[in-house]
Amino acid sequence: MEIRTSAHFERRYKKLSQPIKEKAKKQEKLFVADPFDSRLFTHKLHGKDKEKLVYSIDYKYRIKFIF
């Protein structure tokens, strides 16, 4: 699986604390193995982002993605 990130994502990611970045890397490994792993809490968005999905880093942080 190829993962590409936007410039917006990169700017926001740089501002995160190191513990959150480590959690994000752990969740990314799960995502690559299985995007719908129950530990990711993957779900579709609604409204203007209805074509996008998200997975959770923790209860405060999520990552949007498109297949």
Side-chain angles (χ1 to χ4, degrees):
M1 173 185 298
E2 176 186 355
I3 296 178
R4 292 182 289 171
T5 58
S6 66
H8 180 257
F9 175 85
E10 293 295 330
R11 285 191 305 272
R12 303 273 314 257
Y13 185 79
K14 284 181 184 179
K15 295 178 182 179
L16 295 174
S17 67
Q18 192 60 35
I20 298 299
K21 287 180 183 179
E22 289 172 9
K23 284 183 183 180
K25 288 177 187 175
K26 179 183 170 193
Q27 294 297 81
E28 182 182 342
K29 288 179 184 178
L30 288 174
F31 178 77
V32 170
D34 178 10
F36 295 97
D37 187 305
S38 63
R39 295 171 284 183
L40 294 172
F41 301 103
T42 304
H43 62 278
K44 290 185 86 168
L45 293 174
H46 301 281
K48 68 179 177 108
D49 287 333
K50 66 183 176 185
E51 74 280 354
K52 297 176 183 168
L53 292 98
V54 295
Y55 69 88
S56 296
I57 301 304
D58 63 12
Y59 289 107
K60 185 176 179 181
Y61 297 99
R62 300 181 302 168
I63 294 182
K64 287 185 196 177
F65 67 94
I66 302 171
F67 281 113

